[in-house]
Amino acid sequence: MRTAQEVFDDHWDAVMSGDMDRLLSDYADDALFVRPGQVAQGHAEITAFFEDIGGSLDGFSVEQVSVTTAEPIVVLEWQGSHADGRSASGTDTFIIEDDKIRHQTLVFSVD
């Protein structure tokens, strides 16, 4: 069984490579993904979330600012920059149990 950090590391790599199948394999079948004003449950709804987020962050170079782990929780702070001068920043919280992301929250902004 992977640790929360190992699941997160795999998830980050999948996000950065754009590998949606690999990314979804890190989520439990009934996982919850919560953003302000929106809740997605399960792979199909999470896929739609990522399509929406991807549209907002298209062309951004994104990097980790900090990763804090306290089993089973991982908190990620990230930032991004775009060639047109825009910037983005966000915080994700993951609850990882039984080798899968069970719950995730995301708050981000693009300036």
Side-chain angles (χ1 to χ4, degrees):
M1 180 102 31
R2 300 179 297 172
T3 65
Q5 183 68 51
E6 290 169 333
V7 172
F8 168 77
D9 289 342
D10 184 67
H11 182 70
W12 178 262
D13 291 344
V15 170
M16 292 297 98
S17 69
D19 186 340
M20 186 58 83
D21 290 335
R22 182 174 162 203
L23 181 148
L24 288 173
S25 74
D26 286 325
Y27 287 94
D29 291 339
D30 61 348
L32 285 174
F33 192 146
V34 181
R35 293 174 50 195
Q38 295 179 298
V39 176
Q41 183 167 21
H43 289 188
E45 292 180 13
I46 290 171
T47 297
F49 256 27
F50 273 99
E51 290 170 355
D52 180 50
I53 294 165
S56 298
L57 296 173
D58 188 37
F60 277 83
S61 174
V62 178
E63 62 184 20
Q64 296 177 8
V65 174
S66 72
V67 177
T68 305
T69 304
E71 293 283 340
I73 300 167
V74 177
V75 176
L76 164 68
E77 292 178 284
W78 55 268
Q79 64 186 13
S81 60
H82 196 282
D84 66 8
R86 290 181 294 152
S87 62
S89 61
T91 302
D92 289 72
T93 301
F94 301 86
I95 298 175
I96 300 169
E97 298 171 333
D98 299 324
D99 209 36
K100 298 289 184 181
I101 299 167
R102 302 282 310 152
H103 302 92
Q104 180 179 353
T105 65
L106 167 63
V107 176
F108 75 98
S109 63
V110 176
D111 301 315

